[in-house]
Amino acid sequence: LISFAPARLNQLITAAMASTNSWTHEIESPVAAPRLFRVGVMDWHTLAPKLAPHIVASAHPVEGEGGIGSVRQFNFTSAMPFSVMKERLEFLDAEKCECKSTLIEGGGIGTAIETATSHIKVEPAASGGSLVKVDSTYKLLPGVEVNDEITKAKESVTAIFKAAEAYLIANPDAYN
């Protein structure tokens, strides 16, 4: 049996509670990668209120023109546990359909989460469709526990890309 002094045990518990965690998720789609990336990522702030009005009340750019450093704000309906979320684009390679963003306000920042980033890559699939790969990394505030939030986050990401997919299938000339 391993024994720790009480002070050391408290340090270990605090470190574990404030540790960085992550989750990954993949979503298959029949839509080509460039189209799905443009709609589900780059232009989502424009389309979300139209395609998912039951979740996104409004959305708009706060800073920038959509390049690295740009900030977008999403305002949510009561369907979400928080009313607002702002994210900053940290990395973008539009040709490779890849980006990384950081949550900078709302969405649990300061109340449950210290930091959170998402890396999204939409890769071409052999079928002509695509595979969306999402890697999310987050650091919880001390004392905060994750229950079903990861499952909810994966469901939300899936809903975003499936709404984008449905829009593109219904509008085959859009975003070509």
Side-chain angles (χ1 to χ4, degrees):
L1 221 157
I2 299 174
S3 160
F4 293 102
R8 178 67 180 139
L9 184 58
N10 284 340
Q11 287 176 331
L12 292 170
I13 290 170
T14 301
M17 291 189 309
S19 65
T20 301
N21 300 292
S22 64
W23 55 264
T24 61
H25 188 54
E26 293 187 353
I27 306 156
E28 293 180 15
S29 174
V31 175
R35 292 180 71 218
L36 191 59
F37 182 76
R38 284 195 303 271
V39 171
V41 176
M42 299 308 299
D43 206 23
W44 187 243
H45 63 281
T46 302
L47 292 170
K50 299 170 191 166
L51 301 180
H54 57 291
I55 298 171
V56 181
S58 64
H60 61 276
V62 175
E63 294 176 22
E65 301 294 322
I68 294 172
S70 294
V71 175
R72 301 189 293 187
Q73 177 173 322
F74 293 85
N75 300 304
F76 299 103
T77 67
S78 60
M80 294 293 284
F82 40 84
S83 61
V84 67
M85 177 184 84
K86 287 185 183 177
E87 63 181 11
R88 181 178 49 243
L89 189 62
E90 305 290 351
F91 169 81
L92 173 64
D93 187 334
E95 287 184 24
K96 291 185 179 177
C97 301
E98 183 175 5
C99 71
K100 183 177 182 180
S101 60
T102 299
L103 185 61
I104 60 170
E105 188 179 313
I109 289 289
T111 58
I113 303 168
E114 184 176 320
T115 60
T117 60
S118 293
H119 178 221
I120 299 172
K121 186 167 187 176
V122 185
E123 299 178 342
S127 64
S130 57
L131 179 65
V132 179
K133 294 183 176 183
V134 180
D135 294 311
S136 183
T137 304
Y138 59 95
K139 184 175 182 183
L140 297 174
L141 291 171
V144 174
E145 293 182 24
V146 174
N147 296 316
D148 58 347
E149 285 84 357
I150 293 173
T151 299
K152 288 179 184 176
K154 289 179 179 182
E155 289 171 353
S156 294
V157 169
T158 300
I160 288 168
F161 282 99
K162 290 302 178 180
E165 174 185 288
Y167 172 79
L168 290 168
I169 289 170
N171 298 279
D173 294 330
Y175 292 88
N176 280 319

